[in-house]
Amino acid sequence: MINEYRPGLEDVIAAQTRLSRVDGEAGTLLLAGYPVETLAPRATFEEVVFLMWNLCLPSVAELAELKRDLSSARDLPAPTLALLRAAAERGAPMMDALRMAAASLSLTIVDEPAATPKVTLRRDARRLVASLPTVVATYARLRQGLTPVAPHPDLGHAANFLHMLEGEPPEAHRARALETYLATVVDHGMNASTFTARVVLSTQSDLISAVVAAIGALKGPLHGGAPGPALATVFEIGRKDRAEAVLRAKLERGERLMGFGHRVYKVRDPRAEVLRSAAARFYAEGDQRELYELACHVENVALGLLAEAKPGRRLETNVEYYTALVLHGVGLESELFTSVFAMGRVAGWTAHCLEQAANGRLLRPRAAYIGEEGRAWEELVER
Ligand code: ACO
């Protein structure tokens, strides 16, 4: 029996998976066997979803079928729309709206006849992957006082999201950059939100509950909430010659530099490189080129200061740093960044839940009790 307490469950193996392999020392990430740098710049998001759910790339016919299935599941039920309107009136943050709306997706399926657990899981997985972009785009428009835009049945997953957000089909290179991002973050071993989803599913609960819980875990700044603050830091710095002073002051105040450090990677996160390359292509021309160069400079200064401030901690750039730059380049507001991360990761969450349902056991670790013992009851009047 393992009795050792590992704070934060660090290095504890809680599941077996065929979905992704993270090697924190080599700085590599395999997605169902494919290196992330091979897959992410080439695959459509639908191909990546198929890969996650089936562990192989789709044939032409399989891809066409999945595209049809996802496209036909994009509409939101009327009560979900009403809920988003109410949330927008109260100014709820994007991730809270996403969590509430995801929970309400159960309303699309209450009237459907009972199916086998496997069929039900796959149906709910399609519903979740297809609907999350509609929720995010709809809520973003409602927050701006705009009318929601209906999904476009002929556009792919990423292009349709931008269409719903902006009201017109996007240029191909923006849809491609978003697709690269979504594929890059689709899965990442036993990260906090995926673990959360697997714990919920392991009790034989339903997939909507598992994904709602995962959204809650993703929201925190130590997990999916970092790219907004990472970009804010680059904007705050503004000029290359200010980088060192601003970052040093943050570290002296005990703040963490967002977009740096990782529980598993002790070298540069390979996803950071995929997204840096995507950002480099994206910002190659135009007036934003300076922003890309500033971000690269800030990264170098931050790495130097982190090595000085936390020697031996091996704090390197993580995925969130260049996420911010790619998503900003695509034209997304930083309030949307974490919810767009959820749009990619939901394919991984649902795939892990399928895997958990097929092979897993109830996830139930133990706690080491460090409280008092043998206390005597005291009557209320005597306390
Ligand atoms: N800036 C400054 N110091 C840092 C940073 C950082 N970005 N990251 C870690 N440290 C320091 C900690 O203060 C701690 O120092 P101490 O031991 O002297 O107190 C030491 O490094 C170890 O940090 P832990 O929090 O124990 O390491 P953990 O493995 O739990 O943290 C985490 C990983 C949460 C990602 C952390 O590096 C961090 O907070 N980074 C900034 C937030 C961020 O970028 N999150 C996105 C992660 S990627 C993702 O989830 C998709």
Side-chain angles (χ1 to χ4, degrees), residues 54 71 115 128 166-167 181 183 198 210 214 219 230 318 332 361:
N54 302 287
S71 170
L128 283 157
E166 297 161 356
Y181 168 71
R198 281 189 88 130
K219 176 181 154 182
N318 67 43
L332 304 182
R361 224 179 140 211

Side-chain angles (χ1 to χ4, degrees), residues 7-8 10 185 188 191-192 218 220-227 230 250-251 254-266 269 271 306 309-310 313-321 323 341 345:
E10 185 159 359
V185 300
H188 203 242
N191 60 88
L218 184 73
L222 298 193
H223 189 5
K250 281 186 187 297
L251 288 171
E255 288 177 29
R256 293 188 175 210
L257 304 186
M258 291 294 155
F260 298 91
H262 197 274
R263 174 62 67 80
V264 182
Y265 290 120
K266 300 305 165 202
D269 183 335
R271 300 168 299 171
L306 285 169
K310 302 282 173 185
R313 289 294 187 189
R314 302 172 71 191
L315 300 171
E316 298 286 336
T317 316
N318 67 43
V319 65
E320 302 284 44
Y321 189 73
T323 286
F341 187 172
R345 186 56 63 85

Side-chain angles (χ1 to χ4, degrees), residues 196-238:
T196 303
R198 281 189 88 130
V199 169
V200 174
L201 213 280
S202 82
T203 69
Q204 296 188 354
S205 180
D206 67 291
L207 193 58
I208 304 258
S209 299
V211 167
V212 168
I215 291 171
L218 184 73
K219 176 181 154 182
L222 298 193
H223 189 5
L231 186 65
T233 302
V234 175
F235 280 130
E236 181 191 343
I237 290 170

Side-chain angles (χ1 to χ4, degrees), residues 112-317:
E112 291 181 20
T116 64
K118 202 173 161 187
V119 170
T120 303
L121 275 175
R122 293 231 165 210
R123 176 203 63 195
D124 292 354
R126 280 195 297 276
R127 168 67 64 189
L128 283 157
V129 168
S131 306
L132 256 51
T134 318
V135 170
V136 176
T138 299
Y139 192 64
R141 287 184 71 88
L142 288 172
R143 283 288 303 265
Q144 295 171 63
L146 300 170
T147 312
V149 172
H152 191 309
D154 300 330
L155 291 178
H157 197 77
N160 171 59
F161 169 67
L162 293 173
H163 164 75
M164 291 188 294
L165 199 61
E166 297 161 356
E168 53 189 39
E171 303 94 320
H173 74 289
R174 290 174 59 230
R176 179 60 253 173
L178 179 59
E179 223 153 21
T180 299
Y181 168 71
L182 295 174
T184 302
V185 300
V186 69
D187 193 42
H188 203 242
M190 202 48 41
N191 60 88
S193 57
T194 299
F195 181 55
T196 303
R198 281 189 88 130
V199 169
V200 174
L201 213 280
S202 82
T203 69
Q204 296 188 354
S205 180
D206 67 291
L207 193 58
I208 304 258
S209 299
V211 167
V212 168
I215 291 171
L218 184 73
K219 176 181 154 182
L222 298 193
H223 189 5
L231 186 65
T233 302
V234 175
F235 280 130
E236 181 191 343
I237 290 170
R239 283 196 332 252
K240 285 184 183 173
D241 61 357
R242 279 173 38 83
E244 181 166 345
V246 172
L247 295 176
R248 204 178 272 286
K250 281 186 187 297
L251 288 171
E252 278 166 8
R253 288 195 298 269
E255 288 177 29
R256 293 188 175 210
L257 304 186
M258 291 294 155
F260 298 91
H262 197 274
R263 174 62 67 80
V264 182
Y265 290 120
K266 300 305 165 202
V267 296
R268 190 179 165 87
D269 183 335
R271 300 168 299 171
E273 196 44 44
V274 172
L275 295 181
R276 195 202 56 76
S277 302
R281 282 194 295 277
F282 211 83
Y283 287 95
E285 287 153 25
D287 53 359
Q288 300 241 44
R289 172 84 206 170
E290 274 180 26
L291 178 64
Y292 171 74
E293 282 167 4
L294 174 64
C296 293
H297 176 76
V298 170
E299 180 191 15
N300 287 334
V301 175
L303 290 173
L305 292 177
L306 285 169
E308 191 186 303
K310 302 282 173 185
R313 289 294 187 189
R314 302 172 71 191
L315 300 171
E316 298 286 336
T317 316

Side-chain angles (χ1 to χ4, degrees), residues 67-111:
K67 281 184 170 173
R68 266 197 313 277
D69 285 349
L70 290 177
S71 170
S72 65
R74 285 173 178 162
D75 284 322
L76 302 181
T80 302
L81 264 173
L83 185 148
L84 289 175
R85 285 186 201 284
E89 273 168 27
R90 287 162 182 76
M94 180 74 231
M95 282 301 280
D96 291 350
L98 181 64
R99 171 177 44 73
M100 292 188 275
S104 76
L105 292 176
S106 300
L107 290 165
T108 53
I109 46 192
V110 278
D111 294 334

